[in-house]
Amino acid sequence: MRTQTTSPRIERIAYQIWWLIQDSAGECTLQDMAEFTGASMRTCTQICRYRGWAGFYRKMAQSHATNNGPLMIVALDNELSSMFGEAA
């Protein structure tokens, strides 16, 4: 059986992907990985599959709706306060 050797470039990209996954607690996408490493999304996908990291990161881009999270919390707090008074 032949052992597969990888190039230093692939090892560098793999390390960068691993670091990004660890640093972001898995809250990164293939697009984030590609931008971070300078490699294509296809290369990042192949490395993640080969290394068994396919389930360690987000599959879809983050929704822009989450940027409104603090505004939604304030609106909810105001609504609850109006319904129940300051005890809420």
Side-chain angles (χ1 to χ4, degrees), residues 56-78:
F56 293 179
Y57 59 90
R58 292 172 52 94
K59 300 298 184 253
M60 302 179 77
Q62 187 172 1
S63 170
H64 296 292
T66 57
N67 293 338
N68 295 329
L71 296 175
M72 189 182 331
I73 291 171
V74 170
L76 183 59
D77 283 347
N78 291 340

Side-chain angles (χ1 to χ4, degrees), residues 10-87:
I10 296 298
E11 289 298 317
R12 174 191 56 84
I13 294 169
Y15 177 77
Q16 287 176 309
I17 290 171
W18 175 85
W19 185 89
L20 183 63
I21 291 170
Q22 297 303 311
D23 188 58
S24 68
E27 288 297 314
C28 58
T29 63
L30 285 171
Q31 183 175 353
D32 296 333
M33 291 176 199
E35 290 173 5
F36 184 71
T37 63
S40 69
M41 286 177 46
R42 183 175 183 197
T43 298
C44 294
T45 300
Q46 291 173 343
I47 289 172
C48 287
R49 283 185 185 158
Y50 180 77
R51 302 284 170 128
W53 301 336
F56 293 179
Y57 59 90
R58 292 172 52 94
K59 300 298 184 253
M60 302 179 77
Q62 187 172 1
S63 170
H64 296 292
T66 57
N67 293 338
N68 295 329
L71 296 175
M72 189 182 331
I73 291 171
V74 170
L76 183 59
D77 283 347
N78 291 340
E79 188 67 28
L80 288 172
S81 293
S82 69
M83 289 173 63
F84 300 106
E86 291 301 316

